[in-house]
Amino acid sequence: MITFEGAQVYLPNEIAETTVAVSNGQIVEIGGPAQGEVIDARGLILAPALVDVHGDAFERQLMPRPGVYFPTETALIDTDRQLATNGIATAYHAITLGWEPGLRDVARGRDLMQAMVDLAPRLTVENRVQLRWETFAFEALDVIKWALGGPLLPSVAFNDHTSMTMRAYDVQIQDRAFELSPDFSIASLDDDRMKKRTASKAHRAGLSEQDYIALLARVWDRRAKVPAAIAEVAQMARAAGAPMLSHDDTRAETRAYFRDLGAGVAEFPMVMEAAEAARAGGDPIIFGAPNAARGGSHIGSLGAGDMVEAGLCDALASDYFYPAMLAAIARLDAERRADRLALWSLISAGPARAMNLDDRGEISVGKRADLVLVDWPDGSAPAVQGTWVAGRCSYRGMPAG
């Protein structure tokens, strides 16, 4: 048994200085006498550990420079340790299953997931997967079926960056229509502006601009078959009990379409219409923590801080930078967007609920002992001093002072 003593504890409905006892991976008592190993947490915060529903920062460990790949095991072990040091006890790695070669190739995604399974006994936090499926990537269907039947307990996110790339040149990303609508306006592939639009994607895929656009043209020819593929993946996910998310919605119609398929979570809605449609439908809404930490979206979409204040955000995800989750809470707290407990729920209870993880996300008797000790002096950035996953210490960082 372990007892945390002297901390300011973030309970579901209050912040209180109390004891929290942990045994056999669960929280067994709050407010009782110290028993077993006692952890002196005076001057620190004891809070529910973080749940990250969408993070792809692991790609920097896999490919730290463009075209330079590192061994997968090395990259995963380093990623796992980064998660622990940032207080993240449950992480959904957003593994893109797309039609591009290179970093986001389907075969590479499967190899990465297999490595996660093989490495599981050596990892310190709970590493799960978000199957970040590009809806034009029909070559991913077998891998999705394999992953849904395996031990990584994935979620499924429906992404359509193909249509986003193919939108008319005079249409901003946030203004595009529902991707499967007959009213969706389409850009010409022969226009020089397409080279500019796809240059970074071609670089990531290891292709010339010309070859990338030729590949895009072949993939775009699949468009008529995309709805049937989406329906097939949704059916597989429902059968597996996997949470499903739509990504970058710009229309109420988009949210309604995916909700009807069982995708009950709105991930990164780009405009107010989509966010309000999600709220009206009772769908959890996820925004990126970097958006909140930086004070706005880097691509001109909705500001996460504004959405928190408006009651239109239930969870913040690390997106592309693991430290952003705590940094976001610190900024939102400084801006008085909501009270501390409400803000902390955006990185713990909120994402846990969105992923149907009823056993974690709050400090209550009977919940899994996923806990984080945080040093957060007034006016300073919070820093993690310890992370426990199911009662097991995955990280302990004692400052030099």
Side-chain angles (χ1 to χ4, degrees):
M1 180 173 286
I2 300 172
T3 303
F4 295 87
E5 188 174 47
Q8 293 294 313
V9 182
Y10 285 14
L11 299 168
N13 298 308
E14 64 173 330
I15 298 174
E17 184 176 321
T18 187
T19 59
V20 176
V22 171
S23 181
N24 296 321
Q26 290 189 321
I27 299 166
V28 295
E29 189 173 30
I30 297 171
Q35 304 174 65
E37 178 189 352
V38 177
I39 295 177
D40 182 0
R42 287 174 295 177
L44 301 175
I45 292 165
L46 182 67
L50 282 58
V51 177
D52 185 13
V53 299
H54 174 118
D56 59 28
F58 66 87
E59 291 184 341
R60 277 197 296 277
Q61 279 72 258
L62 287 169
M63 192 174 73
R65 289 186 175 179
V68 177
Y69 293 96
F70 257 64
T72 301
E73 284 196 356
T74 300
L76 283 175
I77 290 170
D78 182 56
T79 296
D80 173 76
R81 271 51 174 186
Q82 286 190 36
L83 293 165
T85 60
N86 283 287
I88 300 169
T90 305
Y92 286 82
H93 299 294
I95 297 178
T96 299
L97 301 176
W99 46 263
E100 290 181 5
L103 180 64
R104 295 183 170 181
D105 179 75
V106 170
R108 188 177 295 276
R110 176 166 180 155
D111 290 345
L112 178 59
M113 286 186 274
Q114 185 60 58
M116 288 174 62
V117 173
D118 296 341
L119 273 175
R122 298 178 60 196
L123 301 179
T124 65
V125 307
E126 186 170 317
N127 289 260
R128 294 192 178 207
V129 166
Q130 181 193 87
L131 300 171
R132 190 184 188 192
W133 176 53
E134 290 290 342
T135 58
F136 280 70
F138 300 170
E139 48 270 83
L141 297 183
D142 287 345
V143 173
I144 292 171
K145 182 178 181 181
W146 167 80
L148 287 170
L152 292 173
L153 304 171
S155 63
V156 177
F158 296 90
N159 287 242
D160 187 356
H161 292 96
T162 309
S163 296
M164 192 182 296
T165 302
M166 288 296 297
R167 75 189 189 282
Y169 294 111
D170 61 349
V171 176
Q172 294 294 316
I173 291 175
Q174 294 84 1
D175 295 333
R176 72 189 190 279
F178 173 42
E179 288 80 358
L180 301 179
S181 167
D183 298 328
F184 190 84
S185 55
I186 301 168
S188 169
L189 286 166
D190 297 329
D191 194 299
D192 282 344
R193 287 174 290 182
M194 185 56 74
K195 291 182 180 179
K196 182 178 180 181
R197 182 176 282 183
T198 59
S200 63
K201 298 179 178 68
H203 188 56
R204 180 179 64 204
L207 298 174
S208 69
E209 293 175 2
Q210 182 177 349
D211 286 346
Y212 187 91
I213 292 172
L215 175 58
L216 174 62
R218 295 193 297 273
V219 170
W220 185 245
D221 285 342
R222 303 172 178 179
R223 188 180 185 219
K225 299 178 181 178
V226 167
I230 291 174
E232 182 179 350
V233 170
Q235 192 281 325
M236 287 193 287
R238 289 194 303 270
M244 289 186 278
L245 313 86
S246 62
H247 181 83
D248 284 351
D249 296 347
T250 59
R251 293 288 179 265
E253 180 184 3
T254 313
R255 180 85 287 275
Y257 176 86
F258 284 103
R259 184 190 300 119
D260 288 346
L261 290 171
V265 180
E267 181 180 78
F268 309 162
M270 302 186 90
V271 298
M272 188 65 78
E273 175 185 329
E276 289 178 339
R279 178 55 73 239
D283 306 326
I285 303 169
I286 298 165
F287 281 98
N291 178 327
R294 296 176 65 253
S297 167
H298 71 283
I299 58 172
S301 295
L302 295 171
D306 295 335
M307 296 301 98
V308 169
E309 192 168 347
L312 291 171
C313 176
D314 302 294
L316 293 170
S318 75
D319 197 2
Y320 55 84
F321 190 53
Y322 299 129
M325 296 180 77
L326 275 183
I329 299 309
R331 177 161 186 157
L332 296 175
D333 181 69
E335 294 175 349
R336 301 293 187 263
R337 298 285 193 163
D339 66 62
R340 275 275 179 102
L341 287 179
L343 291 176
W344 198 271
S345 74
L346 298 173
I347 55 174
S348 55
R353 283 193 294 268
M355 294 296 102
N356 301 321
L357 300 175
D358 298 332
D359 63 339
R360 69 199 74 180
E362 64 180 38
I363 297 180
S364 299
V365 172
K367 295 288 187 179
R368 202 170 88 160
D370 288 358
L371 302 166
V372 62
L373 267 182
V374 180
D375 173 31
W376 192 355
D378 289 343
S380 296
V384 173
Q385 282 202 12
T387 304
W388 285 261
V389 181
R392 171 182 46 80
C393 184
S394 64
Y395 168 71
R396 194 77 167 99
M398 301 298 291

